[in-house]
Amino acid sequence: MSTETAIRVGTDVVAVHQVAESVERFGPRYLQRVYTEHEVMSCRGTPAVKAASLAARFAAKEATIKVLRPAGHQPDWRSVEVRRHSEGWCTMALSGHAAALADQAGIADLAVSLTHDGDMAAAVVVALCRSETGPHEGGEDA
Amino acid sequence: MDETIRTILAEHGHLPVEVAKIGDEDDLYQAGMTSHASVNVMLALEDEFDVEFPEVMLRKSTFESVAAIRVALGELTGS
């Protein structure tokens, strides 16, 4: 029995002003359908700063979905969460359908990096996938 | 219904082309609609048609064309 590893990478960019428009147009309903309570609480500051932080998180969600490669329906946006730690760095936390897709893909770890500058926010997500293979793959153990 | 869908796409789809030039079956993502824009389109459709898209309909194919959106709304409104 051996373990094979593979790496998947996802990336996405989001226009900050479009997120600001969504917050203004749809208000709490936009926030509640897309972001977790933790994510909304993590995005503080002026409306412009908050929009940039939300945009980076949306980019991270989309980058993660690219890594998960869903064949059917996409995971709920809220099931792909950016967790901000007290020191400032972030990790991804999956639940529900997103977590199931990660399990199916053998994703053992996810790393994320967020950034924003001016009107653009971006995220890169890297996944480490592990799958066990053996000499009797598909058959019974001796 | 199609005219309302097109009005919402023009307002919220952030498409780089005129919605009038997009055919019913044309792929909206290939035409330039982003995932984030599709969220806005979904919320605007919910407001306009008084429906809520369930999680199982949150797939790219639901919003990939005018025709696909019409079919999804038909399922939600029963029309």
Side-chain angles (χ1 to χ4, degrees), chain A residues 23-134:
Chain A
V23 172
E24 188 174 334
R25 169 67 176 82
F26 298 106
R29 200 157 61 90
Y30 165 74
L31 296 174
Q32 289 163 8
R33 290 294 289 275
V34 178
Y35 306 95
T36 66
E37 191 175 337
H38 169 82
E39 288 172 327
V40 174
M41 292 295 289
S42 298
C43 298
R44 285 175 272 180
T46 65
V49 170
K50 184 173 181 177
S53 297
L54 289 170
R57 279 156 178 75
F58 191 93
K61 291 168 185 283
E62 181 67 11
T64 303
I65 289 171
K66 288 176 179 175
V67 160
L68 295 175
R69 303 175 183 172
H73 73 272
Q74 293 204 16
D76 183 339
W77 293 112
R78 292 162 50 93
S79 70
V80 180
E81 181 183 45
V82 176
R83 300 287 305 181
R84 186 182 188 280
H85 298 264
S86 55
E87 294 84 358
W89 47 275
C90 295
T91 54
M92 300 305 300
L94 308 182
S95 59
H97 184 45
L101 287 169
D103 283 345
Q104 288 168 20
I107 292 176
D109 202 7
L110 283 171
V112 63
S113 180
L114 312 176
T115 189
H116 53 82
D117 185 6
D119 192 43
M120 298 308 297
V124 175
V125 171
V126 177
L128 180 65
C129 309
R130 293 199 176 106
S131 61
E132 289 187 343
T133 58

Side-chain angles (χ1 to χ4, degrees), chain B residues 3-4 7-8 19 24 34 36 41 49 54 58 60 67 73 76:
Chain B
E3 195 172 326
T4 306
T7 300
I8 287 172
V19 173
D24 271 12
T34 65
H36 188 265
V41 169
F49 293 95
L58 299 184
K60 270 199 158 178
L73 287 171
L76 291 173

Side-chain angles (χ1 to χ4, degrees), chain A residues 6-7 17 45 55 79 96 123:
Chain A
I7 290 175
H17 79 273
S79 70

